């Protein structure tokens, strides 16, 4: 009679990957939330749990004639206003069966001996998942709409285009009659520069467009024989527009939207918790399902401080 072979599920060794996540949890959460190209350029507001106020301050100095004595506080003022930023909870739930790798090109990473299993290439696959999270967060930051994009990850939080659309009565229209950004990027972008508000001229304005529009703009510069520029199409996708102090920046989150958003980056906010244990990363072996499970939880939301200082065009 053959002796039945048994394996103790407690022998699964997850110390490698769980230790990696525990040691780098804050770093992994940070990469997930702020690792996209757009997120790295926004004004980060941490400590946002659910709905929080974005407190804004504007002031006028109230210069007066100082040739006589006396104190007159009637000139100038300081105004404090509020806009709300809503950070929506988002999570990643994934599970893995290491045995699925057997017979594949990655089976070298599976180690089975005396009933012990170590899931392979720890950092590599966690970092790859975080990269994929970055891609989807990037799209949410621009295209997210909690009321329109039902059934997709884009309905998880409102993005900047949704915020600006709601404030369309305040934003500046940079569109050109009879032309579109997708077909005539040079003309539309030139008009955006022309209508940028004077008070932001010295504030390092950026025109955000999709990679698709950015490439067409560069092609138009070449077609017009305007070669006095330096642009790296392979990585940065950024250029200071010749003759201006305005930077054109291509971002993946605007690809296919046919829209451009121009303002100074400090005017655009990314709200997240980042200070609370609700934003976590965890990895464990589930005896109930006989699989490894990964969970990443965080919260994000967007807001525009002063919509009247934003140019939107399409």
């Amino acid at each position: 009679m053959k002796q039945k072979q048994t394996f103790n599920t407690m022998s699964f060794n997850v110390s490698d990957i769980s230790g990696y996540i525990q040691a780098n949890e804050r770093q992994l959460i940070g990469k997930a939330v702020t690792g996209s190209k757009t997120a790295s350029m926004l004004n980060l507001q941490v400590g946002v749990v659910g709905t929080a106020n974005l407190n804004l301050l504007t002031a006028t100095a109230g210069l007066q004639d100082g040739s006589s004595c006396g104190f007159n506080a009637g000139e100038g003022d300081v105004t404090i206003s509020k806009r709300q930023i809503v950070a929506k909870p988002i999570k990643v739930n994934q599970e893995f069966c290491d045995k699925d790798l057997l017979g594949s090109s990655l089976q070298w990473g599976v180690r089975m001996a005396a009933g012990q299993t170590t899931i392979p290439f720890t950092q590599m696959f966690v970092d790859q998942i975080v990269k994929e999270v970055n891609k989807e967060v990037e799209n949410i930051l621009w295209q997210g709409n909690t009321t329109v994009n039902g059934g997709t990850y884009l309905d998880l939080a409102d993005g900047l285009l949704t915020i600006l659309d709601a404030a369309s009565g305040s934003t500046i229209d940079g569109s050109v009659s009879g032309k579109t950004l997708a077909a005539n990027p040079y003309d539309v972008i030139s008009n955006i520069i022309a209508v940028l508000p004077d008070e932001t001229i010295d504030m390092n304005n950026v025109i955000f467009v999709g990679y698709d529009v950015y490439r067409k703009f560069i092609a138009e510069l070449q077609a017009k024989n305007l070669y006095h520029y330096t642009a790296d199409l392979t990585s940065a996708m950024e250029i200071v527009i010749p003759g201006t102090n305005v930077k054109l920046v291509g971002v993946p989150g605007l690809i296919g939207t046919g829209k451009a958003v121009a303002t100074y980056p400090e005017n655009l906010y990314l709200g997240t918790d980042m200070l609370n244990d609700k934003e976590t990363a965890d990895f464990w072996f589930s005896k109930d399902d006989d699989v490894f499970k990964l969970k990443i939880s965080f919260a994000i939301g967007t807001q525009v401080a002063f919509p009247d200082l934003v140019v939107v065009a399409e």
Side-chain angles (χ1 to χ4, degrees):
M1 179 176 172
K2 292 185 177 179
Q3 185 177 3
K4 184 178 180 181
Q5 187 176 16
T6 60
F7 293 92
N8 180 5
T9 56
M10 292 298 291
S11 66
F12 276 85
N13 179 6
V14 297
S15 60
D16 181 31
I17 190 167
S18 61
Y20 168 71
I21 289 181
Q22 290 167 3
N24 299 280
E25 181 181 25
R26 291 292 90 187
Q27 181 182 14
L28 290 172
I29 294 297
K31 286 181 178 179
V33 175
T34 65
S36 76
K37 182 172 183 179
T38 295
S40 67
M41 300 181 68
L42 300 187
N43 206 345
L44 183 64
Q45 173 125 340
V46 298
V48 179
V49 182
T51 302
N53 287 324
L54 194 63
N55 296 311
L56 310 171
L57 185 147
T58 57
T60 57
L63 299 179
Q64 304 177 40
D65 180 2
S67 61
S68 61
C69 297
F71 185 88
N72 179 12
E75 303 291 337
D77 59 57
V78 175
T79 302
I80 298 177
S81 59
K82 296 179 179 179
R83 285 178 65 81
Q84 288 189 330
I85 186 167
V86 181
K88 294 284 189 176
I90 296 175
K91 66 179 181 179
V92 176
N93 291 168
Q94 294 209 25
E95 60 182 35
F96 312 91
C97 176
D98 62 295
K99 299 177 185 65
D100 289 341
L101 299 175
L102 296 176
S104 75
S105 61
L106 298 178
Q107 68 176 355
W108 57 267
V110 179
R111 299 288 183 263
M112 291 185 174
Q116 293 192 358
T117 300
T118 299
I119 198 163
F121 32 82
T122 301
Q123 183 174 349
M124 185 171 69
F125 93 58
V126 173
D127 285 350
Q128 185 60 38
I129 291 172
V130 171
K131 287 180 181 179
E132 293 303 311
V133 172
N134 290 164
K135 292 179 183 179
E136 297 190 357
V137 166
E138 168 75 22
N139 291 333
I140 290 174
L141 292 181
W142 287 107
Q143 302 177 46
N145 191 316
T146 55
T147 60
V148 173
N149 298 312
T152 74
Y153 69 86
L154 291 174
D155 70 355
L156 296 175
D158 285 332
L160 292 167
L161 292 180
T162 299
I163 300 294
L164 291 168
D165 185 60
S168 58
S170 301
T171 58
I172 301 168
D173 185 5
S175 299
V176 177
S177 178
K179 297 185 178 182
T180 65
L181 182 68
N184 315 99
Y186 184 84
D187 292 331
V188 176
I189 288 171
S190 295
N191 188 60
I192 291 173
I193 296 171
V195 300
L196 280 168
D198 292 339
E199 56 264 51
T200 70
I201 293 300
D202 295 327
M203 300 177 74
N204 300 317
N205 281 301
V206 171
I207 302 175
F208 294 96
V209 296
Y211 284 166
D212 48 350
V213 171
Y214 182 90
R215 290 194 297 266
K216 288 182 180 179
F217 177 81
I218 296 300
E220 279 204 84
L221 285 184
Q222 294 171 331
K224 293 177 182 294
N225 201 29
L226 301 176
Y227 288 102
H228 47 289
Y229 68 88
T230 300
D232 182 357
L233 288 178
T234 61
S235 57
M237 300 290 281
E238 299 178 3
I239 179 177
V240 175
I241 298 172
T244 77
N245 64 343
V246 179
K247 182 181 288 188
L248 182 70
V249 175
V251 293
L254 285 174
I255 293 174
T257 65
K259 292 189 176 183
V261 174
T263 189
Y264 54 102
E266 293 81 6
N267 195 28
L268 307 177
Y269 278 78
L270 166 61
T272 184
D273 191 344
M274 296 292 285
L275 299 175
N276 194 286
D277 58 7
K278 291 182 180 178
E279 300 201 328
T280 60
D282 195 12
F283 184 88
W284 70 98
F285 177 73
S286 171
K287 292 191 291 182
D288 293 334
D289 307 308
D290 194 30
V291 293
F292 295 90
K293 293 187 175 182
L294 172 69
K295 180 179 180 180
I296 302 175
S297 302
F298 56 92
I300 57 171
T302 63
Q303 188 52 272
V304 180
F306 301 102
D308 59 319
L309 300 180
V310 179
V311 179
V312 181
E314 55 186 341

